[in-house]
Amino acid sequence: MATRDQYIPGPACEAQVCRLWSAHVDALDRHLSAKTWALAGVMLVLIAYPVARIVIPAVLNGIVPDVVRNVLNVI
């Protein structure tokens, strides 16, 4: 066996990584307080609000043609 072959991940290794990741998430769930989860929620809202108010309208403005915009303004 070549030295490199022992470092090639197999299917069992991927399952172990999934179990390890799941264990880390479960540990976070058990050890973070309600205050920490609330702070994470507030941070999520602070990030999502500018995206919803600035980025999404800018993307729609670039996608929607002027003809559709004029028809909607007439209605």
Side-chain angles (χ1 to χ4, degrees):
M1 172 165 60
T3 313
R4 191 174 65 192
D5 290 340
Q6 62 184 335
Y7 296 109
I8 297 174
C13 183
E14 292 172 4
Q16 288 173 346
V17 169
C18 286
R19 275 190 234 111
L20 180 67
W21 181 253
S22 179
H24 283 301
V25 171
D26 290 343
L28 273 176
D29 228 8
R30 283 191 305 269
H31 295 296
L32 291 180
S33 66
K35 270 186 171 179
T36 306
W37 285 112
L39 181 62
V42 168
M43 294 302 294
L44 182 68
V45 168
L46 287 176
I47 292 170
Y49 183 75
V51 169
R53 296 286 295 176
I54 297 168
V55 175
I56 293 173
V59 169
L60 289 177
N61 193 20
I63 293 173
V64 177
D66 287 331
V67 175
V68 175
R69 213 173 290 123
N70 289 334
V71 170
L72 290 175
N73 284 335
V74 169
I75 295 175

